[in-house]
mmCIF file of all heavy atoms in Angstrom:
data_model
loop_
_atom_site.group_PDB
_atom_site.id
_atom_site.type_symbol
_atom_site.label_atom_id
_atom_site.label_comp_id
_atom_site.label_asym_id
_atom_site.label_seq_id
_atom_site.Cartn_x
_atom_site.Cartn_y
_atom_site.Cartn_z
ATOM 1 N N LEU R 1 4.429 3.935 -2.562
ATOM 2 C CA LEU R 1 4.495 2.586 -3.127
ATOM 3 C C LEU R 1 5.237 2.630 -4.459
ATOM 4 O O LEU R 1 4.990 3.517 -5.270
ATOM 5 C CB LEU R 1 3.088 2.036 -3.343
ATOM 6 C CG LEU R 1 2.196 1.946 -2.107
ATOM 7 C CD1 LEU R 1 0.822 1.416 -2.490
ATOM 8 C CD2 LEU R 1 2.820 1.080 -1.043
ATOM 9 N N LYS R 2 6.127 1.671 -4.654
ATOM 10 C CA LYS R 2 6.879 1.569 -5.903
ATOM 11 C C LYS R 2 6.702 0.178 -6.474
ATOM 12 O O LYS R 2 6.849 -0.808 -5.756
ATOM 13 C CB LYS R 2 8.374 1.824 -5.659
ATOM 14 C CG LYS R 2 8.680 3.207 -5.159
ATOM 15 C CD LYS R 2 10.163 3.379 -4.911
ATOM 16 C CE LYS R 2 10.435 4.768 -4.367
ATOM 17 N NZ LYS R 2 11.850 4.988 -4.082
ATOM 18 N N GLY R 3 6.351 0.112 -7.751
ATOM 19 C CA GLY R 3 6.212 -1.194 -8.400
ATOM 20 C C GLY R 3 4.767 -1.562 -8.643
ATOM 21 O O GLY R 3 3.987 -0.757 -9.128
ATOM 22 N N ARG R 4 4.418 -2.793 -8.258
ATOM 23 C CA ARG R 4 3.083 -3.345 -8.546
ATOM 24 C C ARG R 4 2.382 -3.717 -7.242
ATOM 25 O O ARG R 4 2.939 -4.451 -6.436
ATOM 26 C CB ARG R 4 3.226 -4.586 -9.418
ATOM 27 C CG ARG R 4 3.861 -4.321 -10.755
ATOM 28 C CD ARG R 4 4.194 -5.604 -11.498
ATOM 29 N NE ARG R 4 3.043 -6.468 -11.689
ATOM 30 C CZ ARG R 4 2.221 -6.416 -12.735
ATOM 31 N NH1 ARG R 4 2.440 -5.539 -13.698
ATOM 32 N NH2 ARG R 4 1.206 -7.248 -12.840
ATOM 33 N N LEU R 5 1.161 -3.237 -7.089
ATOM 34 C CA LEU R 5 0.328 -3.630 -5.957
ATOM 35 C C LEU R 5 -0.672 -4.650 -6.493
ATOM 36 O O LEU R 5 -1.664 -4.307 -7.134
ATOM 37 C CB LEU R 5 -0.378 -2.404 -5.360
ATOM 38 C CG LEU R 5 -1.295 -2.651 -4.159
ATOM 39 C CD1 LEU R 5 -0.584 -3.409 -3.056
ATOM 40 C CD2 LEU R 5 -1.843 -1.331 -3.649
ATOM 41 N N ASP R 6 -0.350 -5.925 -6.275
ATOM 42 C CA ASP R 6 -1.143 -7.008 -6.855
ATOM 43 C C ASP R 6 -1.344 -8.126 -5.839
ATOM 44 O O ASP R 6 -1.076 -7.941 -4.652
ATOM 45 C CB ASP R 6 -0.494 -7.517 -8.147
ATOM 46 C CG ASP R 6 0.946 -7.971 -7.949
ATOM 47 O OD1 ASP R 6 1.342 -8.293 -6.809
ATOM 48 O OD2 ASP R 6 1.689 -8.023 -8.949
ATOM 49 N N THR R 7 -1.793 -9.268 -6.311
ATOM 50 C CA THR R 7 -2.080 -10.398 -5.434
ATOM 51 C C THR R 7 -0.864 -10.816 -4.612
ATOM 52 O O THR R 7 -0.997 -11.208 -3.451
ATOM 53 C CB THR R 7 -2.563 -11.604 -6.269
ATOM 54 O OG1 THR R 7 -3.668 -11.172 -7.070
ATOM 55 C CG2 THR R 7 -2.995 -12.754 -5.399
ATOM 56 N N THR R 8 0.303 -10.701 -5.180
ATOM 57 C CA THR R 8 1.532 -11.106 -4.499
ATOM 58 C C THR R 8 1.948 -10.096 -3.433
ATOM 59 O O THR R 8 2.408 -10.482 -2.358
ATOM 60 C CB THR R 8 2.677 -11.257 -5.528
ATOM 61 O OG1 THR R 8 2.250 -12.155 -6.541
ATOM 62 C CG2 THR R 8 3.940 -11.773 -4.878
ATOM 63 N N THR R 9 1.779 -8.800 -3.713
ATOM 64 C CA THR R 9 2.303 -7.761 -2.817
ATOM 65 C C THR R 9 1.253 -7.140 -1.891
ATOM 66 O O THR R 9 1.615 -6.526 -0.894
ATOM 67 C CB THR R 9 2.966 -6.643 -3.644
ATOM 68 O OG1 THR R 9 1.998 -6.084 -4.545
ATOM 69 C CG2 THR R 9 4.164 -7.172 -4.416
ATOM 70 N N ALA R 10 -0.022 -7.314 -2.199
ATOM 71 C CA ALA R 10 -1.079 -6.717 -1.364
ATOM 72 C C ALA R 10 -0.999 -7.170 0.104
ATOM 73 O O ALA R 10 -1.174 -6.340 1.004
ATOM 74 C CB ALA R 10 -2.450 -7.009 -1.954
ATOM 75 N N PRO R 11 -0.725 -8.454 0.383
ATOM 76 C CA PRO R 11 -0.619 -8.863 1.790
ATOM 77 C C PRO R 11 0.496 -8.126 2.545
ATOM 78 O O PRO R 11 0.366 -7.856 3.737
ATOM 79 C CB PRO R 11 -0.318 -10.366 1.705
ATOM 80 C CG PRO R 11 -0.895 -10.788 0.391
ATOM 81 C CD PRO R 11 -0.663 -9.611 -0.522
ATOM 82 N N GLN R 12 1.557 -7.775 1.845
ATOM 83 C CA GLN R 12 2.655 -7.022 2.467
ATOM 84 C C GLN R 12 2.165 -5.641 2.903
ATOM 85 O O GLN R 12 2.406 -5.207 4.032
ATOM 86 C CB GLN R 12 3.816 -6.891 1.473
ATOM 87 C CG GLN R 12 4.972 -6.066 1.984
ATOM 88 C CD GLN R 12 6.013 -5.792 0.897
ATOM 89 O OE1 GLN R 12 5.886 -6.228 -0.240
ATOM 90 N NE2 GLN R 12 7.030 -5.052 1.268
ATOM 91 N N LEU R 13 1.454 -4.944 2.014
ATOM 92 C CA LEU R 13 0.923 -3.626 2.357
ATOM 93 C C LEU R 13 -0.105 -3.745 3.475
ATOM 94 O O LEU R 13 -0.115 -2.941 4.413
ATOM 95 C CB LEU R 13 0.306 -2.947 1.130
ATOM 96 C CG LEU R 13 -0.340 -1.587 1.396
ATOM 97 C CD1 LEU R 13 0.675 -0.587 1.946
ATOM 98 C CD2 LEU R 13 -0.996 -1.053 0.125
ATOM 99 N N GLU R 14 -0.953 -4.749 3.403
ATOM 100 C CA GLU R 14 -1.975 -4.957 4.429
ATOM 101 C C GLU R 14 -1.330 -5.149 5.808
ATOM 102 O O GLU R 14 -1.773 -4.562 6.802
ATOM 103 C CB GLU R 14 -2.831 -6.163 4.065
ATOM 104 C CG GLU R 14 -4.027 -6.354 4.953
ATOM 105 C CD GLU R 14 -4.952 -7.442 4.423
ATOM 106 O OE1 GLU R 14 -4.463 -8.440 3.863
ATOM 107 O OE2 GLU R 14 -6.163 -7.271 4.572
ATOM 108 N N ALA R 15 -0.267 -5.930 5.874
ATOM 109 C CA ALA R 15 0.434 -6.171 7.140
ATOM 110 C C ALA R 15 1.071 -4.885 7.665
ATOM 111 O O ALA R 15 1.010 -4.594 8.866
ATOM 112 C CB ALA R 15 1.495 -7.254 6.947
ATOM 113 N N GLU R 16 1.671 -4.114 6.776
ATOM 114 C CA GLU R 16 2.297 -2.843 7.180
ATOM 115 C C GLU R 16 1.245 -1.891 7.741
ATOM 116 O O GLU R 16 1.475 -1.222 8.749
ATOM 117 C CB GLU R 16 2.995 -2.188 5.987
ATOM 118 C CG GLU R 16 4.150 -2.984 5.424
ATOM 119 C CD GLU R 16 5.471 -2.697 6.113
ATOM 120 O OE1 GLU R 16 5.561 -1.703 6.858
ATOM 121 O OE2 GLU R 16 6.412 -3.478 5.894
ATOM 122 N N LEU R 17 0.101 -1.817 7.072
ATOM 123 C CA LEU R 17 -0.967 -0.921 7.532
ATOM 124 C C LEU R 17 -1.505 -1.356 8.892
ATOM 125 O O LEU R 17 -1.700 -0.520 9.778
ATOM 126 C CB LEU R 17 -2.098 -0.865 6.511
ATOM 127 C CG LEU R 17 -1.816 -0.041 5.264
ATOM 128 C CD1 LEU R 17 -2.898 -0.263 4.215
ATOM 129 C CD2 LEU R 17 -1.698 1.442 5.603
ATOM 130 N N LYS R 18 -1.746 -2.639 9.065
ATOM 131 C CA LYS R 18 -2.265 -3.130 10.344
ATOM 132 C C LYS R 18 -1.314 -2.786 11.485
ATOM 133 O O LYS R 18 -1.748 -2.467 12.588
ATOM 134 C CB LYS R 18 -2.506 -4.642 10.286
ATOM 135 C CG LYS R 18 -3.767 -5.009 9.550
ATOM 136 C CD LYS R 18 -4.017 -6.499 9.567
ATOM 137 C CE LYS R 18 -5.304 -6.808 8.814
ATOM 138 N NZ LYS R 18 -5.573 -8.240 8.745
ATOM 139 N N ARG R 19 -0.031 -2.846 11.197
ATOM 140 C CA ARG R 19 0.969 -2.575 12.218
ATOM 141 C C ARG R 19 1.061 -1.080 12.540
ATOM 142 O O ARG R 19 1.298 -0.704 13.683
ATOM 143 C CB ARG R 19 2.339 -3.101 11.774
ATOM 144 C CG ARG R 19 3.385 -3.015 12.874
ATOM 145 C CD ARG R 19 4.712 -3.632 12.508
ATOM 146 N NE ARG R 19 5.363 -2.853 11.472
ATOM 147 C CZ ARG R 19 5.792 -3.338 10.317
ATOM 148 N NH1 ARG R 19 5.613 -4.614 10.034
ATOM 149 N NH2 ARG R 19 6.382 -2.578 9.434
ATOM 150 N N ASP R 20 0.859 -0.222 11.546
ATOM 151 C CA ASP R 20 1.167 1.195 11.717
ATOM 152 C C ASP R 20 -0.032 2.144 11.764
ATOM 153 O O ASP R 20 0.142 3.324 12.026
ATOM 154 C CB ASP R 20 2.085 1.663 10.576
ATOM 155 C CG ASP R 20 3.435 0.977 10.615
ATOM 156 O OD1 ASP R 20 3.902 0.640 11.715
ATOM 157 O OD2 ASP R 20 4.023 0.783 9.539
ATOM 158 N N ILE R 21 -1.247 1.672 11.511
ATOM 159 C CA ILE R 21 -2.366 2.595 11.319
ATOM 160 C C ILE R 21 -2.990 3.103 12.631
ATOM 161 O O ILE R 21 -3.654 4.132 12.639
ATOM 162 C CB ILE R 21 -3.437 1.964 10.393
ATOM 163 C CG1 ILE R 21 -4.237 3.063 9.708
ATOM 164 C CG2 ILE R 21 -4.309 0.991 11.164
ATOM 165 C CD1 ILE R 21 -5.040 2.577 8.526
ATOM 166 N N ASN R 22 -2.740 2.419 13.730
ATOM 167 C CA ASN R 22 -3.293 2.868 15.008
ATOM 168 C C ASN R 22 -2.783 4.272 15.349
ATOM 169 O O ASN R 22 -1.585 4.530 15.303
ATOM 170 C CB ASN R 22 -2.940 1.907 16.141
ATOM 171 C CG ASN R 22 -3.732 0.622 16.062
ATOM 172 O OD1 ASN R 22 -4.792 0.574 15.437
ATOM 173 N ND2 ASN R 22 -3.224 -0.422 16.682
ATOM 174 N N GLY R 23 -3.712 5.154 15.683
ATOM 175 C CA GLY R 23 -3.343 6.512 16.056
ATOM 176 C C GLY R 23 -3.128 7.456 14.895
ATOM 177 O O GLY R 23 -2.866 8.649 15.093
ATOM 178 N N VAL R 24 -3.214 6.951 13.676
ATOM 179 C CA VAL R 24 -3.020 7.791 12.493
ATOM 180 C C VAL R 24 -4.314 8.556 12.212
ATOM 181 O O VAL R 24 -5.387 7.975 12.157
ATOM 182 C CB VAL R 24 -2.624 6.937 11.262
ATOM 183 C CG1 VAL R 24 -2.625 7.764 9.992
ATOM 184 C CG2 VAL R 24 -1.268 6.303 11.486
ATOM 185 N N GLU R 25 -4.187 9.868 12.056
ATOM 186 C CA GLU R 25 -5.342 10.706 11.735
ATOM 187 C C GLU R 25 -5.339 11.142 10.268
ATOM 188 O O GLU R 25 -6.356 11.551 9.735
ATOM 189 C CB GLU R 25 -5.364 11.947 12.639
ATOM 190 C CG GLU R 25 -5.576 11.587 14.096
ATOM 191 C CD GLU R 25 -5.436 12.774 15.021
ATOM 192 O OE1 GLU R 25 -5.338 13.923 14.544
ATOM 193 O OE2 GLU R 25 -5.412 12.552 16.250
ATOM 194 N N ARG R 26 -4.167 11.053 9.652
ATOM 195 C CA ARG R 26 -4.046 11.423 8.238
ATOM 196 C C ARG R 26 -3.108 10.424 7.563
ATOM 197 O O ARG R 26 -1.936 10.337 7.902
ATOM 198 C CB ARG R 26 -3.489 12.837 8.114
ATOM 199 C CG ARG R 26 -3.491 13.366 6.702
ATOM 200 C CD ARG R 26 -3.239 14.881 6.735
ATOM 201 N NE ARG R 26 -3.629 15.480 5.477
ATOM 202 C CZ ARG R 26 -2.761 15.913 4.570
ATOM 203 N NH1 ARG R 26 -1.470 15.841 4.796
ATOM 204 N NH2 ARG R 26 -3.190 16.440 3.451
ATOM 205 N N LEU R 27 -3.662 9.663 6.629
ATOM 206 C CA LEU R 27 -2.905 8.658 5.887
ATOM 207 C C LEU R 27 -2.790 9.130 4.445
ATOM 208 O O LEU R 27 -3.798 9.383 3.790
ATOM 209 C CB LEU R 27 -3.621 7.306 5.946
ATOM 210 C CG LEU R 27 -3.043 6.158 5.131
ATOM 211 C CD1 LEU R 27 -1.617 5.841 5.563
ATOM 212 C CD2 LEU R 27 -3.924 4.925 5.265
ATOM 213 N N VAL R 28 -1.555 9.288 3.976
ATOM 214 C CA VAL R 28 -1.316 9.776 2.614
ATOM 215 C C VAL R 28 -0.524 8.726 1.843
ATOM 216 O O VAL R 28 0.564 8.327 2.258
ATOM 217 C CB VAL R 28 -0.544 11.116 2.621
ATOM 218 C CG1 VAL R 28 -0.292 11.596 1.200
ATOM 219 C CG2 VAL R 28 -1.281 12.170 3.431
ATOM 220 N N PHE R 29 -1.097 8.281 0.735
ATOM 221 C CA PHE R 29 -0.406 7.371 -0.174
ATOM 222 C C PHE R 29 0.138 8.189 -1.341
ATOM 223 O O PHE R 29 -0.583 8.997 -1.918
ATOM 224 C CB PHE R 29 -1.361 6.320 -0.752
ATOM 225 C CG PHE R 29 -1.712 5.220 0.196
ATOM 226 C CD1 PHE R 29 -2.925 5.249 0.878
ATOM 227 C CD2 PHE R 29 -0.854 4.152 0.392
ATOM 228 C CE1 PHE R 29 -3.270 4.228 1.741
ATOM 229 C CE2 PHE R 29 -1.196 3.131 1.256
ATOM 230 C CZ PHE R 29 -2.401 3.166 1.936
ATOM 231 N N ASP R 30 1.391 7.944 -1.709
ATOM 232 C CA ASP R 30 1.980 8.556 -2.897
ATOM 233 C C ASP R 30 2.168 7.447 -3.928
ATOM 234 O O ASP R 30 2.912 6.503 -3.719
ATOM 235 C CB ASP R 30 3.318 9.199 -2.555
ATOM 236 C CG ASP R 30 3.879 10.028 -3.700
ATOM 237 O OD1 ASP R 30 3.409 9.868 -4.846
ATOM 238 O OD2 ASP R 30 4.784 10.831 -3.454
ATOM 239 N N PHE R 31 1.444 7.574 -5.053
ATOM 240 C CA PHE R 31 1.474 6.556 -6.108
ATOM 241 C C PHE R 31 2.357 6.963 -7.276
ATOM 242 O O PHE R 31 2.242 6.399 -8.362
ATOM 243 C CB PHE R 31 0.055 6.295 -6.620
ATOM 244 C CG PHE R 31 -0.776 5.405 -5.733
ATOM 245 C CD1 PHE R 31 -0.355 5.019 -4.474
ATOM 246 C CD2 PHE R 31 -2.001 4.948 -6.176
ATOM 247 C CE1 PHE R 31 -1.136 4.198 -3.673
ATOM 248 C CE2 PHE R 31 -2.798 4.117 -5.390
ATOM 249 C CZ PHE R 31 -2.363 3.742 -4.140
ATOM 250 N N ILE R 32 3.261 7.932 -7.088
ATOM 251 C CA ILE R 32 4.092 8.441 -8.184
ATOM 252 C C ILE R 32 4.857 7.314 -8.882
ATOM 253 O O ILE R 32 5.046 7.352 -10.105
ATOM 254 C CB ILE R 32 5.058 9.553 -7.688
ATOM 255 C CG1 ILE R 32 5.758 10.231 -8.848
ATOM 256 C CG2 ILE R 32 6.093 9.022 -6.708
ATOM 257 C CD1 ILE R 32 4.997 11.347 -9.461
ATOM 258 N N ASN R 33 5.263 6.296 -8.132
ATOM 259 C CA ASN R 33 6.037 5.198 -8.709
ATOM 260 C C ASN R 33 5.290 3.867 -8.722
ATOM 261 O O ASN R 33 5.900 2.814 -8.861
ATOM 262 C CB ASN R 33 7.367 5.041 -7.950
ATOM 263 C CG ASN R 33 8.278 6.216 -8.172
ATOM 264 O OD1 ASN R 33 8.558 6.589 -9.306
ATOM 265 N ND2 ASN R 33 8.721 6.837 -7.090
ATOM 266 N N LEU R 34 3.960 3.934 -8.566
ATOM 267 C CA LEU R 34 3.156 2.712 -8.630
ATOM 268 C C LEU R 34 2.788 2.447 -10.084
ATOM 269 O O LEU R 34 2.202 3.289 -10.749
ATOM 270 C CB LEU R 34 1.888 2.841 -7.773
ATOM 271 C CG LEU R 34 1.088 1.554 -7.611
ATOM 272 C CD1 LEU R 34 1.885 0.516 -6.810
ATOM 273 C CD2 LEU R 34 -0.240 1.832 -6.931
ATOM 274 N N GLU R 35 3.157 1.267 -10.575
ATOM 275 C CA GLU R 35 2.973 0.937 -11.991
ATOM 276 C C GLU R 35 1.674 0.190 -12.278
ATOM 277 O O GLU R 35 1.135 0.271 -13.376
ATOM 278 C CB GLU R 35 4.143 0.066 -12.460
ATOM 279 C CG GLU R 35 5.490 0.739 -12.301
ATOM 280 C CD GLU R 35 6.638 -0.251 -12.364
ATOM 281 O OE1 GLU R 35 6.404 -1.463 -12.576
ATOM 282 O OE2 GLU R 35 7.780 0.194 -12.181
ATOM 283 N N TYR R 36 1.182 -0.560 -11.275
ATOM 284 C CA TYR R 36 0.046 -1.452 -11.529
ATOM 285 C C TYR R 36 -0.739 -1.639 -10.241
ATOM 286 O O TYR R 36 -0.171 -1.688 -9.150
ATOM 287 C CB TYR R 36 0.562 -2.810 -12.027
ATOM 288 C CG TYR R 36 -0.515 -3.833 -12.239
ATOM 289 C CD1 TYR R 36 -1.317 -3.807 -13.378
ATOM 290 C CD2 TYR R 36 -0.739 -4.829 -11.296
ATOM 291 C CE1 TYR R 36 -2.319 -4.755 -13.564
ATOM 292 C CE2 TYR R 36 -1.737 -5.781 -11.483
ATOM 293 C CZ TYR R 36 -2.516 -5.733 -12.613
ATOM 294 O OH TYR R 36 -3.502 -6.662 -12.801
ATOM 295 N N LEU R 37 -2.055 -1.766 -10.385
ATOM 296 C CA LEU R 37 -2.932 -1.970 -9.245
ATOM 297 C C LEU R 37 -3.976 -3.024 -9.609
ATOM 298 O O LEU R 37 -4.700 -2.861 -10.594
ATOM 299 C CB LEU R 37 -3.625 -0.650 -8.883
ATOM 300 C CG LEU R 37 -4.648 -0.659 -7.763
ATOM 301 C CD1 LEU R 37 -3.990 -0.998 -6.432
ATOM 302 C CD2 LEU R 37 -5.336 0.691 -7.683
ATOM 303 N N SER R 38 -4.028 -4.108 -8.841
ATOM 304 C CA SER R 38 -5.003 -5.181 -9.109
ATOM 305 C C SER R 38 -6.164 -5.092 -8.131
ATOM 306 O O SER R 38 -6.184 -4.262 -7.224
ATOM 307 C CB SER R 38 -4.324 -6.545 -8.973
ATOM 308 O OG SER R 38 -4.143 -6.855 -7.599
ATOM 309 N N SER R 39 -7.106 -6.007 -8.279
ATOM 310 C CA SER R 39 -8.257 -6.044 -7.372
ATOM 311 C C SER R 39 -7.822 -6.329 -5.935
ATOM 312 O O SER R 39 -8.442 -5.835 -4.991
ATOM 313 C CB SER R 39 -9.274 -7.082 -7.839
ATOM 314 O OG SER R 39 -8.687 -8.361 -7.887
ATOM 315 N N ALA R 40 -6.758 -7.088 -5.761
ATOM 316 C CA ALA R 40 -6.245 -7.346 -4.412
ATOM 317 C C ALA R 40 -5.736 -6.053 -3.782
ATOM 318 O O ALA R 40 -5.943 -5.806 -2.589
ATOM 319 C CB ALA R 40 -5.131 -8.390 -4.450
ATOM 320 N N GLY R 41 -5.103 -5.218 -4.573
ATOM 321 C CA GLY R 41 -4.650 -3.916 -4.093
ATOM 322 C C GLY R 41 -5.818 -3.004 -3.770
ATOM 323 O O GLY R 41 -5.798 -2.277 -2.768
#
C-alpha cells in the first residue's frame, strides 16, 4: 500500500481483498510506503 488508507481509500482496498482473498493461505501487507491509517483502514 502506498499513500493513505483512510475513509476515502478503505473501500478500494476492501473491494480488492474481497475479489482476491479466496484461496489465499498467506496474506502479506507491506506498509513501507503507507503514510497514514485511519479507523476505516
